Amino acid sequence: MVLGPHILAIDLGTSGPKVAAVSVEGELLDYAFAPTQLLLFPGGGAEQDPADWWRAVVAATHALFARHPEVAAQVAAVAVTAQWSGTVPVDREARPLSNAHIWMDSRGAPDVARATRGTPSVKGYGLFKLVRWLRLTGGVPTRAGKDSIAHILYIRRQLPDLYAEAFKFLDPTDWLNAKLTGRIASSFATIALHWVTDNRDLARVHYDDKLLSWCGLDRDKLPELHPTTDVLGPLLPAVASELGIPAAARVIMGAPDVHSATLGAGAIADGATQLYVGSSSFITCHVPFKKVDVVHNMASVPSALPDRYIVPNAQETAGLCLSHLLDQQLYPDDELSLGPRPADPYERLDRAVAQVPPGADKLLFTPWLYGERCPVEDASLRGGFFNYSLKTTRRHVARAVLEGVALNSRWTLGYHEKFIGKRLDSIAMIGGGARSDQWCQIHADVLGIPVRQVANPVQANAVGVAFLASLSLGHLKREDLPGRVRIAHTWEPRPQYRALYDELFGAFLEIYKRNRKLYARLNRPEVPGAGAAGGQR
């Protein structure tokens, strides 16, 4: 068999990396996955070990090429996409100095509050600071403390020796690129959640001295910036040998998972929207304008496409709600376990959900297991079941979890449509959640619009960053990309359930409104420093 050049696409998610071989024409050949560990600490700490990331990347790459040994020699480029809004402190050789603080970590919330406050105050932000942040970056550091800037400020306060020793602070995408090439850099898209760059001219995104000063950050501790389509360099010879691919393979800058997912879903035209359901969930699209909605935590920031912005509206926990149900409720490793976890738990859940009528007999689930980002930024929110009765079964619980995530997506989608100024006539769905026919149909019913289920939805991020590499190398043009994305099935909303889901959505919003103060009281942030056990060297 004669093969053409391929791209090795690395998609580092929270649960581990998916490594895929994608032709330069955008055809997915195959992929492999290896798991990584998530570490949670008191006070909102959430970390992962970069060495564990790399171990898993190598393992997944070897597994992929064990099935396709002929492809390894055909790798012309490597492209990385990864979980966004993480922070890896590194030395001059890009060696990690501690665990990575990932997108779930909220310990920097008080540090962001101090850096952004002022008089007069608007929703806790100093008015004059807020104006500059919105004008230059298109957004503002979030109060939940989960942005990259918050991680760095937390390290500076709580781990000053680590801050002083760090040569640079890198996003997960940037760290993997440095591991591959030895070069330390970031892209215009990746750096956005540091909220210290002027994004008004997408051709020359650059750091702003005033924003850096307000945060008290050293410019020298942040990486140099490049467009997402730049070639960062060739592979380090030792890394090429470890992965088993040619040393001449070029490494493309790449982009975060939100950006690559949008490309991989074929959502290229302005306003064309995709829904990703993985560990978290996000609703995104490209737009030609810079805009912000502070109230609902929405902003347009630089996208992977050189002349466009992206609107990344994130839901904190989506698929994590389902995995939590499996790991902690159905098959926990304790004396209450219902038995060993089967090999096909998600297929079993789908079958169980299909036996419960839509609406789960009006059992409601709120999916805020780790707070929420959009359309409200509130780290104190928590999940729960409402209207639970003696008739409630585990099947009802499973369906309510799927519907609760979809109801939260509907909440976000309403503000997303207002932000972009158009009503959607359909939405593309990708991620692990899109493998479930039940979940696709539930989203169509709850959102009230057709859901286009993308083929190979789990690999959409990897395919998306491979698209970016093909654009960079000149194999594809932007107008080619939508045609490279195949739709497996379109799920139409069923009109007979519209009134039911309208009622449940109203109740869902009322649960939030009536209980948000209670959540805030029950889940007050712990004393700063309580999570200092995390990040140990």
Side-chain angles (χ1 to χ4, degrees):
M1 184 170 93
V2 178
L3 290 175
H6 275 67
I7 294 158
L8 185 68
I10 300 171
D11 170 23
L12 175 65
T14 309
S15 58
K18 293 176 282 290
V19 178
V22 183
S23 78
V24 293
E25 298 300 320
E27 286 293 325
L28 173 70
L29 173 66
D30 198 0
Y31 84 106
F33 169 80
T36 55
Q37 186 179 12
L38 172 63
L39 307 170
L40 299 178
F41 299 99
E47 302 180 5
Q48 291 188 301
D49 181 358
D52 193 30
W53 290 344
W54 183 249
R55 174 205 56 77
V57 166
V58 173
T61 303
H62 288 174
L64 174 66
F65 291 144
R67 296 196 296 268
H68 305 280
E70 73 283 359
V71 177
Q74 300 294 326
V75 172
V78 181
V80 174
T81 184
Q83 47 174 291
W84 201 13
S85 189
T87 300
V88 186
V90 300
D91 65 13
R92 290 180 178 274
E93 281 70 48
R95 292 178 297 222
L97 298 174
S98 75
N99 284 341
H101 293 224
I102 69 165
W103 57 275
M104 298 169 67
D105 195 303
S106 61
R107 290 173 292 185
D111 303 286
V112 169
R114 281 190 289 270
T116 58
R117 66 190 177 194
T119 304
S121 177
V122 178
K123 293 189 174 294
Y125 294 96
L127 175 60
F128 299 109
K129 289 182 176 180
L130 182 63
V131 169
R132 186 177 185 90
W133 250 302
L134 297 181
R135 184 167 59 88
L136 269 59
T137 73
V140 66
T142 58
R143 311 294 284 182
K146 296 181 180 181
D147 296 335
S148 304
I149 182 67
H151 303 156
I152 300 173
L153 294 179
Y154 169 82
I155 291 170
R156 187 187 65 182
R157 169 175 58 83
Q158 193 63 31
L159 302 165
D161 291 343
L162 175 58
Y163 181 84
E165 187 180 357
F167 173 60
K168 301 288 183 183
F169 292 97
L170 300 180
D171 185 87
T173 300
D174 303 332
W175 181 77
L176 282 175
N177 280 342
K179 182 72 176 176
L180 291 165
T181 66
R183 288 194 61 189
I184 294 176
S186 186
S187 73
F188 295 168
T190 305
I191 202 67
L193 291 189
H194 288 67
W195 300 115
V196 289
T197 51
D198 186 340
N199 303 329
R200 290 174 295 178
D201 182 353
L202 289 172
R204 53 180 301 272
V205 173
H206 60 278
Y207 293 109
D208 179 75
D209 290 338
K210 178 65 73 174
L211 299 181
L212 289 166
S213 174
W214 284 343
C215 295
L217 284 187
D218 299 312
R219 163 65 185 85
D220 290 344
K221 290 187 178 291
L222 298 175
E224 64 182 56
L225 302 179
H226 294 266
T228 58
T229 52
D230 271 11
V231 175
L232 186 59
L235 287 168
L236 291 170
V239 170
S241 177
E242 187 175 14
L243 295 177
I245 60 178
R250 288 168 287 181
V251 178
I252 311 302
M253 278 302 307
D257 54 2
V258 174
H259 303 65
S260 63
T262 308
L263 297 178
I268 308 302
D270 291 342
T273 298
Q274 67 88 19
L275 167 65
Y276 172 91
V277 180
S279 296
S280 62
S281 176
F282 40 82
I283 293 172
T284 59
C285 72
H286 292 102
V287 292
F289 53 76
K290 191 160 72 70
K291 181 180 175 182
V292 67
D293 176 356
V294 175
V295 174
H296 300 107
N297 199 26
M298 295 181 177
S300 50
V301 295
S303 81
L305 298 176
D307 60 350
R308 282 295 182 270
Y309 293 93
I310 195 172
V311 185
N313 299 320
Q315 177 176 330
E316 192 76 351
T317 51
L320 279 176
C321 298
L322 202 55
S323 58
H324 183 273
L325 175 66
L326 289 168
D327 296 339
Q328 302 302 327
Q329 307 303 324
L330 299 181
Y331 306 109
D333 184 17
D334 62 23
E335 62 276 9
L336 297 177
S337 176
L338 297 174
R341 179 167 170 158
D344 60 344
Y346 292 102
E347 288 82 355
R348 291 182 183 221
L349 274 174
D350 251 20
R351 292 197 297 270
V353 166
Q355 298 179 57
V356 178
D361 289 332
K362 299 189 179 179
L363 176 67
L364 280 162
F365 171 73
T366 57
W368 312 313
L369 300 189
Y370 211 74
E372 192 49 280
R373 292 183 183 238
C374 287
V376 294
E377 183 198 4
D378 190 339
S380 72
L381 296 185
R382 292 295 179 266
F385 292 95
F386 292 80
N387 208 31
Y388 198 101
S389 76
L390 289 175
K391 297 188 301 180
T392 299
T393 68
R394 285 182 293 166
R395 291 169 176 165
H396 287 89
V397 167
R399 184 173 192 100
V401 169
L402 300 189
E403 291 182 340
V405 171
L407 288 166
N408 209 83
S409 295
R410 174 169 169 173
W411 192 16
T412 299
L413 188 64
Y415 293 109
H416 173 86
E417 290 179 326
K418 290 180 181 178
F419 189 95
I420 67 175
K422 66 177 290 187
R423 293 293 302 272
L424 300 182
D425 54 15
S426 68
I427 194 166
M429 187 167 168
I430 60 172
R435 291 183 298 184
S436 166
D437 290 352
Q438 290 294 325
W439 219 350
C440 289
Q441 183 63 69
I442 285 171
H443 273 92
D445 291 338
V446 170
L447 300 180
I449 55 175
V451 168
R452 294 179 292 112
Q453 183 183 27
V454 173
N456 302 310
V458 175
Q459 294 81 51
N461 289 19
V463 170
V465 80
F467 282 165
L468 191 64
S470 286
L471 291 175
S472 172
L473 300 177
H475 294 285
L476 290 176
K477 297 179 180 179
R478 185 184 306 187
E479 56 268 25
D480 298 330
L481 301 187
R484 295 296 195 274
V485 176
R486 184 168 62 86
I487 301 301
H489 187 78
T490 298
W491 300 88
E492 298 289 341
R494 296 174 293 185
Q496 65 267 37
Y497 300 118
R498 177 62 183 267
L500 170 64
Y501 282 120
D502 285 349
E503 178 188 8
L504 293 180
F505 181 61
F508 184 88
L509 296 182
E510 190 170 355
I511 289 168
Y512 164 72
K513 293 173 183 176
R514 286 177 177 268
N515 291 286
R516 57 186 174 183
K517 291 182 180 179
L518 177 61
Y519 288 127
R521 188 166 74 246
L522 291 175
N523 302 307
R524 290 189 183 94
E526 298 182 34
V527 176
Q536 292 304 298
R537 312 291 289 283

